[in-house]
C-alpha cells in the first residue's frame, strides 16, 4: 500500500491511483490512520526544509519503521552540493555520453525535471533513472551547465506547485506507474512480515549458489514468514522496495554487486554481503596485509610490482604462486616452477594489475572451508584438489573447468585449531557470512583467504545441517530487521534518549513523549547516523582509490542429488 502525503488534499488533483492521501498534519499527529505497517510513504510536502512539516513527515515515517521517499538522509544530502557531490562524477559522465548522441547539441544551460525516475525530456531518460536511483526523491530538478564541460550544477527537490500545466499529465502517469510497479502479485497466503531480495546472475558460470539452492531459500523463507524474491542487475531501481538484500553473485568493488550493497546499506536494509565486507575481502593484497598485521598465520607472502621480481627468489623457494588481486574461483593464480616461468607469469599478470602477490606454495590434498555466520561456525567442508591438478578448480584455455571432490563434516568433527583460526580471521572482517579457506601443513594451520560470498549449494555445504542451514541464514536477516532502530515501539529504543523540554518545561520520566518530542529524539539520532555514514563514505572512498576490484576464491561443485548421503572424497592420483 502507498500513502501519499501533501500539504493540503486540494493540492492533489490527480486520479487516485489506489493510494491513501493524507495531509502532512494528519500523518504527523494521527499515526493510527496508517494501519498497514508495510505501507510505503510518498512525501509530496510543499517544503522539505529542516524542521518543516515535510521534514517531520519523513522523520516520523522512519521512526515508525515505514519506507519513505524522500528519506531524511536524502533530504539532508540534497541541501548542499558539497554533500551529494560524491555521486556527481558518474552522473556527469552519463550526461556527457547522452549529449554526444544528440543530433542538436545544446549550447546554453538548461534544466531537466525528474518525476519518479522519469522525465518528459526525451533526450535524457537514462540520466533521469540514474538520478532517481541515487536520490530517491519523488520530484527533482537538475540544473545542467556547459561550463568546463557539461555537468550537473545542482540537484534540487521539486514540489507539486512547481509543476507547469503541460507537465501535469506526465507527472500523473509517472506517479501511477511508480505505485503500480511497486506492487507484488497477490498470493493466496498470509502476507509475509519481511521481504528479502536475492541478487544473482543467471548467466554466471560458477555462482556462489546455483538456481536449485536459490529456490530452496525461497521455500524456507516462505515457511519463516519472509517473502524471498530473486532479482538481477536490471532490478537496481526497485531495490528499495525490499527490506533486506542477500547477494548470491560473485562480488567485486568496481562492480554492480558493490553498488547494490552500498545502496542497500544507505536505505537502511539488512544486507549480506555488506559493503565493508566486500571491501575487506575482495582484494588479496589488502586481505594479506590485514591478516599479517593481526598475526594470523598465512603462507609467506610478498606484495610486488614490476620492480620487485628479482628479489622474490631470495625470499620464496620454487615453486612460487603468483596471484592477481581480483582473482576468483582459482582464476588469476599461476604456479611458477623456475625463473623463466616466474618472469613470464609476472609480466602477464602485471599487465592487468600494477601490484600482484607472490606466495609460497603449500600443497595439501584438500583445503578446509569453515562457514561462519555472525561469529559462529555453521559448516565445515573439505574441498579436494582437482584430479591431477594443484588447485580445487582447474581451468583450461578453452574456458572449461573441472573441480575436485568435497566432503562436509559436522563442525564438532573439524579440527579445533582450524575452526578457531577461521573464527579469528573472520572476526577481522565483520559479523556477516564468510567462508574461511585454510590449509593444514607440517608447520601448522594457515589461512589462505576469507571469502565474503562463500559457496552454499544443495547437497554440499548443507549436507549436515540440511534445511537448518537456510533457516539460520534467513533468521539472521530477521534478527537484523527486528533490531533496526524504530522496529519496536518508540518508548523502547527512544526511552534512553532525554526528552527535550517543551515551552521551557521538562516532562516527567513517566510521561509518554509527545509526537514533537519523539521527532526531536529521532532527529538527534538520525543526525548522528548521517554524520557517521558520511565519515564511513570518506573512509571507503579513500580505501577504494588504492584497491582494485576483485573476488575471493570460492569453489562450488557440480549438480548433486537433493538429499545425498555424505559423499566420499576423491583422492589425487
Amino acid at each position: 500500500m502507498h500513502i501519499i502525503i501533501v500539504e493540503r488534499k486540494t493540492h492533489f488533483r490527480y486520479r487516485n491511483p489506489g493510494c491513501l492521501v493524507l495531509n502532512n498534519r494528519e500523518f504527523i499527529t494521527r499515526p493510527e490512520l496508517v494501519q498497514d505497517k508495510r505501507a510505503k510513504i510518498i512525501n509530496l510536502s510543499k517544503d522539505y526544509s529542516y524542521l518543516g512539516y515535510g521534514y517531520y513527515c519523513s522523520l516520523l515515517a522512519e521512526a515508525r519503521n515505514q519506507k519513505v521517499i524522500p528519506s531524511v538522509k536524502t533530504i539532508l544530502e540534497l541541501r548542499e552540493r558539497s554533500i551529494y557531490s560524491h555521486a556527481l562524477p558518474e552522473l556527469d559522465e552519463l550526461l556527457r555520453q547522452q549529449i554526444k548522441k544528440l543530433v542538436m547539441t545544446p549550447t546554453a544551460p538548461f534544466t531537466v525535471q525528474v518525476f519518479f525516475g522519469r522525465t518528459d525530456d526525451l533526450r535524457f531518460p537514462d540520466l533521469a533513472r540514474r538520478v532517481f536511483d541515487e536520490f530517491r526523491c519523488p520530484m527533482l530538478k537538475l540544473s545542467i551547465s556547459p561550463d568546463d564541460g557539461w555537468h550537473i550544477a545542482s540537484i534540487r527537490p521539486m514540489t507539486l506547485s512547481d509543476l507547469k500545466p503541460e507537465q501535469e499529465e506526465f507527472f500523473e502517469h509517472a506517479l501511477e506507474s511508480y505505485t503500480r510497479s511497486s506492487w507484488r502479485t497477490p498470493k493466496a497466503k498470509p502476507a509475509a512480515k519481511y521481504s528479502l531480495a536475492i541478487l544473482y546472475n543467471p548467466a554466471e558460470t560458477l555462482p556462489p549458489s546455483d538456481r536449485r539452492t536459490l529456490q530452496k531459500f525461497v521455500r524456507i523463507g516462505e515457511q519463516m514468514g519472509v517473502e524471498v524474491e530473486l532479482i538481477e542487475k536490471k532490478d537496481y531501481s526497485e531495490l528499495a522496495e525490499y527490506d533486506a538484500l542477500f547477494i548470491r553473485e560473485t562480488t567485486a568493488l568496481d562492480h554492480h554487486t558493490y553498488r547494490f550493497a552500498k545502496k542497500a546499506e544507505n536505505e537502511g536494509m539488512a544486507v549480506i554481503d555488506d559493503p565493508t565486507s566486500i571491501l575487506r575481502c575482495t582484494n588479496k593484497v589488502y586481505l594479506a596485509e590485514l591478516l599479517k598485521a593481526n598475526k594470523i598465520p598465512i603462507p609467506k607472502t610478498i606484495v610486488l610490482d614490476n620492480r620487485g621480481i628479482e628479489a622474490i627468489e631470495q625470499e620464496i623457494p620454487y615453486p612460487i604462486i603468483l596471484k592477481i588481486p581480483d582473482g576468483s574461483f582459482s582464476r588469476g593464480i599461476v604456479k611458477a616452477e623456475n625463473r623463466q616461468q616466474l618472469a613470464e607469469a609476472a609480466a602477464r599478470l602485471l599487465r592487468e594489475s600494477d601490484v600482484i602477490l607472490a606466495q609460497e606454495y603449500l600443497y595439501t590434498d584438500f583445503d578446509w572451508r569453515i562457514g561462519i555466520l555472525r561469529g559462529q561456525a555453521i559448516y565445515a567442508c573439505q574441498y579436494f584438489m582437482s584430479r591431477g591438478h594443484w588447485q580445487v578448480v582447474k581451468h583450461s584455455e578453452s574456458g572449461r573447468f573441472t573441480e575436485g571432490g568435497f566432503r562436509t563434516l559436522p563442525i564438532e568433527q573439524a579440527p579445533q585449531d582450524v575452526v578457531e583460526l577461521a573464527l579469528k580471521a573472520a572476526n577481522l572482517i565483520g559479523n556477516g557470512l564468510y567462508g574461511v579457506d585454510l590449509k593444514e601443513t607440517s608447520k601448522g594451520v594457515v589461512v589462505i583467504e576469507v571469502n565474503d560470498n562463500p559457496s552454499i549449494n544443495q547437497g554440499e555445504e548443507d549436507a549436515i545441517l540440511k534445511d537448518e542451514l537456510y533457516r539460520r541464514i534467513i533468521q539472521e536477516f530477521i534478527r537484523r530487521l527486528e533490531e533496526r532502530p524504530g522496529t519496536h515501539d518508540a518508548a523502547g529504543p527512544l526511552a534512553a534518549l532525554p526528552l527535550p523540554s517543551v515551552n521551557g518545561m521538562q516532562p516527567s520520566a513517566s510521561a509518554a513523549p509527545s509526537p514533537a518530542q519523539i521527532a526531536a529524539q529521532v532527529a538527534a539520532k538520525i543526525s548522528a547516523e548521517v554524520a557517521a555514514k558520511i565519515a564511513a563514505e570518506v573512509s571507503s572512498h579513500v580505501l577504494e582509490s588504492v584497491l582494485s576490484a576483485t573476488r575471493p576464491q570460492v569453489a562450488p561443485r557440480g549438480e548433486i542429488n537433493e538429499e545425498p548421503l555424505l559423499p566420499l572424497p576423491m583422492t589425487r592420483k
Side-chain angles (χ1 to χ4, degrees):
M1 179 179 183
H2 286 83
I3 310 295
I4 296 176
I5 303 173
V6 292
E7 193 83 11
R8 295 181 181 178
K9 292 183 180 179
T10 55
H11 292 171
F12 193 78
R13 303 181 295 273
Y14 313 100
R15 293 190 301 271
N16 191 326
C19 305
L20 175 63
V21 179
L22 300 175
N23 65 47
N24 47 30
R25 292 191 178 188
E26 287 178 324
F27 182 78
I28 291 172
T29 61
R30 299 181 62 190
E32 70 276 5
L33 292 177
V34 183
Q35 295 294 327
D36 187 353
K37 298 302 182 183
R38 297 185 61 187
K40 298 176 176 64
I41 313 300
I42 300 174
N43 184 359
L44 295 177
S45 294
K46 185 177 180 180
D47 184 10
Y48 296 126
S49 61
Y50 183 62
L51 300 184
Y53 277 111
Y55 173 86
Y56 274 114
C57 286
S58 289
L59 189 70
L60 288 177
E62 293 185 20
R64 296 165 186 167
N65 202 36
Q66 296 162 333
K67 288 189 175 294
V68 60
I69 60 168
S71 65
V72 171
K73 177 180 179 295
T74 297
I75 291 174
L76 295 177
E77 276 191 333
L78 291 175
R79 291 177 64 190
E80 298 290 340
R81 190 180 190 277
S82 59
I83 299 177
Y84 61 76
S85 60
H86 66 89
L88 292 179
E90 186 175 346
L91 296 175
D92 287 343
E93 179 60 27
L94 178 60
L95 169 68
R96 295 184 191 110
Q97 291 176 3
Q98 293 189 291
I99 288 180
K100 286 181 181 178
K101 297 178 182 178
L102 299 179
V103 176
M104 297 182 62
T105 303
T107 57
F110 61 95
T111 61
V112 175
Q113 286 80 37
V114 179
F115 310 133
F116 300 98
R118 298 167 180 259
T119 179
D120 54 355
D121 190 330
L122 300 180
R123 300 173 297 177
F124 303 105
D126 294 339
L127 179 65
R129 170 56 66 183
R130 188 74 64 84
V131 169
F132 184 62
D133 287 344
E134 190 70 39
F135 305 101
R136 305 280 291 187
C137 188
M139 307 170 66
L140 291 166
K141 178 180 180 180
L142 314 183
S143 296
I144 311 298
S145 172
D147 298 337
D148 300 322
W150 287 102
H151 67 278
I152 300 174
S154 68
I155 304 175
R156 291 285 182 266
M158 292 177 61
T159 66
L160 293 174
S161 60
D162 295 323
L163 286 174
K164 300 175 182 178
E166 60 270 21
Q167 293 178 313
E168 297 273 359
E169 184 177 358
F170 184 86
F171 171 80
E172 183 176 5
H173 288 315
L175 171 63
E176 185 176 3
S177 176
Y178 176 76
T179 55
R180 186 175 61 247
S181 64
S182 298
W183 287 89
R184 294 185 175 85
T185 304
K187 300 177 182 178
K189 60 181 180 182
K193 186 175 182 180
Y194 297 116
S195 58
L196 168 65
I198 295 183
L199 176 64
Y200 84 115
N201 179 0
E204 188 169 9
T205 304
L206 285 168
S209 294
D210 59 28
R211 188 61 182 261
R212 291 189 315 122
T213 304
L214 298 180
Q215 292 300 332
K216 188 71 169 283
F217 275 109
V218 173
R219 294 195 299 271
I220 298 298
E222 182 178 340
Q223 296 170 12
M224 300 177 69
V226 176
E227 183 181 11
V228 180
E229 294 189 14
L230 306 184
I231 65 171
E232 301 176 36
K233 176 183 177 181
K234 63 182 176 61
D235 300 312
Y236 182 81
S237 60
E238 280 75 46
L239 180 61
E241 300 296 328
Y242 300 89
D243 299 306
L245 172 65
F246 188 23
I247 299 178
R248 291 280 81 197
E249 179 178 352
T250 302
T251 54
L253 286 178
D254 187 19
H255 194 249
H256 67 267
T257 49
Y258 185 72
R259 292 193 290 273
F260 267 79
K262 286 293 294 182
K263 182 173 182 178
E265 183 179 70
N266 291 338
E267 293 286 350
M269 301 167 62
V271 55
I272 299 175
D273 318 340
D274 62 275
T276 301
S277 294
I278 296 175
L279 194 65
R280 291 174 176 172
C281 288
T282 55
N283 189 282
K284 292 181 175 66
V285 172
Y286 173 84
L287 187 59
E289 292 298 311
L290 177 69
L291 296 174
K292 284 198 295 186
N294 287 275
K295 296 181 171 53
I296 301 293
I298 64 173
K300 186 173 182 60
T301 302
I302 298 176
V303 178
L304 69 144
D305 58 16
N306 56 11
R307 293 170 296 180
I309 301 298
E310 298 299 328
I312 297 177
E313 293 176 312
Q314 301 175 13
E315 298 288 336
I316 303 176
Y318 286 105
I320 297 172
I321 304 300
L322 295 180
K323 296 182 177 181
I324 195 168
D326 64 350
S328 61
F329 297 111
S330 299
R331 290 172 295 206
I333 303 177
V334 180
K335 184 171 68 169
E337 300 281 359
N338 50 54
R339 174 174 291 189
Q340 180 179 350
Q341 291 181 7
L342 177 66
E344 291 175 353
R348 185 170 67 254
L349 295 181
L350 285 168
R351 285 196 292 268
E352 300 182 47
S353 174
D354 289 339
V355 174
I356 60 176
L357 286 180
Q359 199 168 70
E360 68 174 317
Y361 174 61
L362 298 175
Y363 179 81
T364 54
D365 286 335
F366 62 85
D367 287 350
W368 280 104
R369 164 69 62 79
I370 305 299
I372 294 172
L373 177 64
R374 199 188 168 213
Q376 292 187 339
I378 57 174
Y379 65 82
C381 287
Q382 294 173 331
Y383 294 157
F384 291 81
M385 301 303 139
S386 181
R387 188 182 297 273
H389 191 58
W390 57 278
Q391 291 175 288
V392 172
V393 182
K394 179 181 180 181
H395 295 273
S396 66
E397 294 182 358
S398 65
R400 296 183 178 180
F401 62 91
T402 57
E403 301 174 273
F406 71 95
R407 187 184 184 196
T408 306
L409 302 171
I411 284 293
E412 57 271 17
Q413 292 184 18
Q416 185 176 357
D417 54 348
V418 169
V419 176
E420 289 179 352
L421 187 58
L423 288 169
K424 288 180 182 179
N427 286 340
L428 297 175
I429 307 301
N431 66 346
L433 174 65
Y434 310 109
V436 184
D437 292 344
L438 311 96
K439 286 181 179 288
E440 288 183 286
T441 75
S442 59
K443 298 179 182 180
V445 182
V446 296
V447 172
I448 302 302
E449 60 187 6
V450 182
N451 302 287
D452 64 289
N453 198 353
S455 310
I456 296 177
N457 281 302
Q458 279 196 66
E460 298 178 21
E461 289 77 13
D462 69 352
I464 299 300
L465 291 179
K466 296 186 169 42
D467 288 2
E468 179 61 22
L469 179 63
Y470 304 91
R471 293 192 188 98
R472 290 189 186 185
I473 294 172
I474 293 176
Q475 184 59 47
E476 173 61 14
F477 281 103
I478 295 174
R479 184 194 67 79
R480 295 184 182 202
L481 291 169
E482 295 287 353
E483 292 183 0
R484 288 184 304 182
T487 300
H488 305 289
D489 293 338
L494 293 178
L497 296 172
L499 293 178
S501 60
V502 179
N503 296 329
M505 298 181 65
Q506 184 68 29
S508 66
S510 60
S514 68
Q517 291 163 350
I518 291 176
Q521 295 166 351
V522 178
K525 186 174 187 301
I526 289 181
S527 297
E529 290 179 350
V530 169
K533 285 183 178 180
I534 292 174
E537 281 289 325
V538 173
S539 299
S540 294
H541 286 305
V542 170
L543 189 52
E544 286 173 42
S545 68
V546 297
L547 295 182
S548 55
T550 187
R551 171 68 182 107
Q553 177 181 343
V554 186
R557 310 272 93 63
E559 290 293 320
I560 304 294
N561 292 333
E562 179 83 15
E563 300 291 350
L565 298 174
L566 187 64
L568 295 176
M570 295 173 58
T571 56
R572 204 172 152 269
K573 284 188 176 181

